[in-house]
Structures are given as C-alpha cells and as structure tokens.
Amino acid sequence: CVGDKDWVQQTSHESYAKTYSIVHPNDEHMAGRSVRRSALHDALLERGCVFQQRHGFERPGFFATEHKKKETAVLEYDYYGAYEEVDIDADTEYKKPSHLKNSKLQGKMHEYYPYRDIVESHITFDWPPSFDIVKKEAHACRNGVAIFDQSYFGKFVIQGKEARAAVDYIATARFDEESCPKGRVKYTCLCNSKGGVEADLTITCLPKEAVASGLFAAPSSSSSEDGDVFYVAAGGAQKTHNWRWFQQHTRDFDCEMVDKSDNMSLISVQGPHSLSLLTSIIDGDTAPLEELEFSKACVVDIAGFKVLLLRLTFVGERGYEIHCKYDDARQIYDLLMAKGEEMEQKQGVPVRDAGYYTIDSLSAEKGYRHWHADLSNYDTPFEANIGFCVSGTLKTTEKKFLGRQALEQQKADGVKRKLICLEIEDPSVPLYGLESIYRDGKCVGFIKSTAFGHTVGKTLAYGYISKEGFQESQLMERGESVPSEKGSKITNKWLKAGKYEVGDKGILHSAKIHLKAPFDPSNERI
C-alpha cells in the first residue's frame, strides 16, 4: 500500500482531517480502500456485504442483506468535499490531488453513499445497528451453517530438506514425524526468548496429494522430494510480522519459504450441518471428507478443482476450511451457496454468509485468543490460558525451541499474571476494552478484548490480572521489576474465591468469572 501514491495521498489526508475526531470502536476509514480484495469480493458485495479494511484488505464485516445488490460498495474517496471549491487547474500550492483531475467527482462529496451512511450509523459507544444482524449470523453458525471468507489470512509454504527441523525449532508444539505426520494440522505458538507469544497460528504438514495437486508451487531451488512441505495459515493482521519472524529464525536451516497469501483463498464452512453441506458439493468419493478427524487435512475435488480441506474451527463448531487457488474460489463459493439455499429450502437449515463481527462474537464464547487484542509478544502461553500449546512438549521431550528456558522457569514458578474471562451480568452493557477489573473491591487489571456472545446472551470481557493489583500489573506489562514480596502466583482456587466487577465510565458492573469457555467448555460440538 505504501508504494501507491494515491493511497498515501488519500490516507494522509483522512488522517489529518480526523486528527481531533473521537475514536469510536466500529469506525472505518473511507480513504485508501479497495487496494487488496478477495476473489469473492464482488460475490459478497452482491449479497450486501459491509466490508472492513484491515492492512489494505477488504474483509467482510457483516451482511446488510436489506440493501440492493452492490449498494454497500466502497466508493472513490471524496476527501469529505474538501476540494470542491478549488480550481482543478490553478497553479497554486493548494491543488486538488492529481487523480481527481480524471474523477467524475471533481472534489465534491458523494450525494448518495450507503456505505458511508452505514459506517456513520455505527459511530457510537452503544450497541451498533448491526447488533441484530450479527445475532442472526451467529444463530446460523450455531444451528445450521455459516460461511466465512477468511482469505485475508496470511498463507505461506515452508519447504526443503530441513523444513521439519526448522518448524520444530520455531514452534512450541512438536513437529517430529511421529507427532506430526503428513496430513496433520497443529495449532501452535511461536515464542520469543522470554516466552512471549510472537504468533499463534496453524501449521499443516501437507499430505502427498496436496503437494502433487499443484496447489502449492514448489520453491525455486527445492523440490517436494527434498523433504516435507509445511503450510502456515496466520491471521491477516499478523501476516507480515509472522513472515518476518519465520524468515529470521529459520535462516540457519536448509529450507525456504513461499508467500501464497495473494494466490490462494480461504473459505471457512462452520456449523453443525457443515459436513452435510460440503458432502453435497464434493466431486466423486466423499469418504475422505466424512472420515476426516479434527486437526487433519485431506485433498478433495470441488467443482472440478483440487482443494486442501482442513477440519478446524475458530468459532467452536464442527467446521472445515477450504484452501483453494484464487481463480477457483468464485466457482466453489457459488456452488456452495447454491447448495446451501437448496438445503435451507428443503430442510429448513439456516445457511448464511457471515463476517468478522460474528467471528469475534463466537470466538469470545469459546475463549479463543486474538493476537493483537488479548495476546501479544509480552504474554506467555501459560498467562494467556493456551499452555496446552507448550505443556506437552515440556513434559515429553527435550526438544529445543525458542522460549523453552523461560517457559520452563515460569511453569516451575507459577504465573503471576493471568488472562481471565468475565461475563457481565447485565446484558445491556457494551464494553470496548481498557475498562478496569476489580476483585473484591481492588483494581487488579484491565480489559484487553470484549465481544457480545449472542449464544450466551451476555457481554464477555477478557483481561490480565495480578494479585498485587493494577500498579504492579502495569510494572509487569512494561517489563519492570516488582518488589520480591509481591508478584505472588495465581491459582484457580484464588481466582474462584473472588467477587468481580468491571469499571466503566464511573460505574461498577457485576461480573462472573469463567475458568473454562462460557460456551461448550467440553468441546463436544467441535
């Protein structure tokens, strides 16, 4: 994006224009849009998709289905009408941006702009107008099927003679041949030397069929015969960071990386009826899909195209990810939606498009982490309640991996700060982060991420706390020393014994702590 002159000019103007604007949680930029698009962009737009821009990528936020086809499109940046009275050809310092000379707007504001109206209606600290829309999308996912375009994800391949050794070193999970054979998918952390989580993502040891399918082009100086091929899928916001981290810490291994982010699409099919829907679009034998276990991968044919299918979820339902070539995605999606409409008509099963607003709601109910929100390179897996990503490795092997020494020490000493989940008792209270957490009347931390859980019917809030309170927690956050008599380890017994409240704008709201996921804590639905 930064290499695009028009993008820089537009975003610089908007940044200046909104310097003193109040920052609202659901606001969206109008400048520098539509730089990176999914293969499904136009198809989703026809279905009323309201897009969010993240790192230059247009990803689905929610679906305003009451709007006409393509009515929710993001239009050319109009500079909020700032150049309407400026002579386009005047030889003065105050000129219109060069690209406006060929624009129909000529510096005027759009008179009819539904997308802008939708965004402006969301400029509130109360529940936004999309609240009920997200509720319907979440209901479809919990009771039928929800289809998410997650092509925003970073996607890259690691291949070469020492690819397995490289992945095994950089990740906390075990990637030896016994623990991670071909066709296995693992959710894992990448930690720094202090044990902080630099990334949480999934890594797949590709089955032979996937390598042979042509989905994953071999790197220039290696072939698939030289070793195993690993496929990394990482959150879009962290893609650049994750790419750099892998490159930095695998340079001593005989392997290489290929960025597939813009060459592949990711369509996630989630919900209790996802298997039935996918079975209806598979070409030929459906046994590989029907027999696919959780955290496993296989190759199937859909609409005549080879796709990599991963059985995974980020919303807490039985679900599958379709990883396919960019050019094949539209036909696969169209077939998926056609069969979905047929299923809805014949069986009464809700099948819906859904966006990232819904992902946030559903994932909060399951206690899934969001790196950049409630997980960072300061937080360790044990503090963030994803210790399962490292505990097994520490117990069963001597394998060397980044951060092992620090994590072994922390496990022995116990954690002195911990991420907790709080359910706000009053369902009418919206929260947006940075609110104070009180335990037995004492401020012990603050909220890092929140979302309304439409299945549980309550606002869910996640934040890190310490026994000694907010000031000591702040010292820990900054990496500063805490007096030796403080920094006591946190136990589940201590967590359960407290009475919790969340402070927001001078009001304390009663809250209930969850030590496990608020929804389906035993993972029976997955």
Side-chain angles (χ1 to χ4, degrees), residues 362-521:
L362 298 174
S363 62
E365 293 179 330
K366 286 296 295 176
Y368 295 150
R369 300 281 74 80
H370 288 263
W371 199 96
H372 82 277
D374 47 34
L375 185 63
S376 73
N377 59 6
Y378 176 75
D379 311 311
T380 72
F382 294 123
E383 293 169 343
N385 292 322
I386 49 176
F388 62 86
C389 289
V390 66
S391 291
T393 306
L394 295 180
K395 285 180 181 179
T396 60
T397 72
E398 295 297 325
K399 90 151 188 165
K400 295 180 179 179
F401 65 88
L402 278 170
R404 176 168 186 139
Q405 184 176 355
L407 292 171
E408 283 182 320
Q409 188 65 52
Q410 186 177 61
K411 186 175 183 182
D413 295 344
V415 296
K416 298 176 182 179
R417 58 189 292 274
K418 196 170 183 68
L419 184 71
I420 62 170
C421 171
L422 294 175
E423 177 187 291
I424 310 305
E425 293 184 4
D426 183 351
S428 68
V429 176
L431 300 175
Y432 293 103
L434 300 182
E435 296 86 1
S436 304
I437 301 174
Y438 290 85
R439 181 187 182 277
D440 294 340
K442 179 181 180 181
C443 186
V444 291
F446 61 94
I447 300 299
K448 297 293 289 284
S449 69
T450 71
F452 188 87
H454 287 279
T455 313
V456 300
K458 297 289 181 67
T459 294
L460 301 172
Y462 291 83
Y464 291 89
I465 67 170
S466 69
K467 276 190 174 183
E468 282 61 48
F470 180 72
Q471 289 184 337
E472 283 72 24
S473 180
Q474 285 291 86
L475 290 174
M476 293 179 185
E477 290 272 355
R478 294 197 297 266
E480 298 180 21
S481 61
V482 177
S484 58
E485 69 274 11
K486 296 186 176 182
S488 304
K489 68 179 181 180
I490 294 176
T491 63
N492 285 344
K493 181 179 179 180
W494 180 82
L495 289 173
K496 289 189 289 186
K499 176 185 176 182
Y500 293 90
E501 296 170 303
V502 174
D504 178 42
K505 295 185 283 292
I507 300 174
L508 291 179
H509 301 283
S510 297
K512 172 186 175 182
I513 190 171
H514 286 275
L515 298 185
K516 294 185 177 181
F519 178 76
D520 187 30

Side-chain angles (χ1 to χ4, degrees), residues 50-66:
V50 177
F51 288 95
Q52 302 173 305
Q53 180 193 246
R54 298 295 182 270
H55 295 78
F57 197 100
E58 300 291 330
R59 73 178 195 182
F62 59 91
F63 287 79
T65 54
E66 73 277 9

Side-chain angles (χ1 to χ4, degrees), residues 274-292:
S274 57
L275 175 60
S276 178
L277 178 57
L278 279 174
T279 301
S280 70
I281 68 171
I282 296 287
D283 300 338
D285 187 11
T286 59
L289 169 62
E290 294 169 347
E291 298 170 0
L292 192 64

Side-chain angles (χ1 to χ4, degrees), residues 21-241:
S21 297
I22 296 173
V23 178
H24 290 85
N26 297 305
D27 196 5
E28 291 292 331
H29 293 292
M30 296 294 168
R33 300 296 296 265
S34 301
V35 177
R36 300 172 60 210
R37 293 182 175 184
S38 161
L40 305 184
H41 180 275
D42 291 348
L44 301 183
L45 190 58
E46 290 175 0
R47 293 176 174 271
C49 183
V50 177
F51 288 95
Q52 302 173 305
Q53 180 193 246
R54 298 295 182 270
H55 295 78
F57 197 100
E58 300 291 330
R59 73 178 195 182
F62 59 91
F63 287 79
T65 54
E66 73 277 9
H67 282 271
K68 298 177 181 178
K69 287 186 176 182
K70 297 192 175 183
E71 197 175 37
T72 57
V74 178
L75 303 181
E76 175 189 355
Y77 184 51
D78 59 14
Y79 290 83
Y80 299 96
Y83 293 96
E84 184 173 359
E85 304 300 327
V86 179
D87 184 353
I88 200 166
D89 297 312
D91 187 19
T92 65
E93 292 183 3
Y94 189 63
K95 296 181 180 180
K96 289 184 179 180
S98 57
H99 72 276
L100 283 183
K101 292 184 177 182
N102 300 316
S103 168
K104 294 180 181 179
L105 286 174
Q106 295 292 291
K108 299 179 181 179
M109 286 186 68
H110 293 287
E111 294 183 3
Y112 180 69
Y113 196 177
Y115 180 83
R116 179 184 60 205
D117 297 339
I118 292 171
V119 171
E120 289 182 350
S121 72
H122 279 64
I123 297 178
T124 176
F125 288 104
D126 205 338
W127 300 120
S130 59
F131 184 86
D132 289 334
I133 295 174
V134 175
K135 182 178 181 178
K136 292 178 181 178
E137 293 179 6
H139 177 268
C141 190
R142 293 285 187 235
N143 297 278
V145 184
I147 298 169
F148 301 90
D149 178 15
Q150 292 186 271
S151 301
Y152 169 57
F153 266 47
K155 301 168 281 290
F156 45 91
V157 172
I158 303 174
Q159 177 173 311
K161 292 180 179 179
E162 296 182 332
R164 183 180 289 276
V167 171
D168 198 43
Y169 170 69
I170 198 172
T172 58
R174 292 176 57 185
F175 283 89
D176 54 90
E177 291 189 24
E178 181 181 355
S179 302
C180 189
K182 288 179 172 61
R184 180 69 189 274
V185 188
K186 286 201 172 188
Y187 169 74
T188 185
C189 294
L190 311 183
C191 290
N192 54 41
S193 60
K194 294 182 178 180
V197 179
E198 294 286 348
D200 70 319
L201 37 73
T202 60
I203 302 179
T204 303
C205 184
L206 290 176
K208 291 181 179 179
E209 300 83 2
V211 178
S213 68
L215 281 170
F216 306 93
S220 57
S221 61
S222 296
S223 71
S224 58
E225 298 177 357
D226 289 333
D228 295 303
V229 181
F230 292 87
Y231 176 62
V232 179
Q238 296 82 49
K239 179 258 174 182
T240 302
H241 171 64

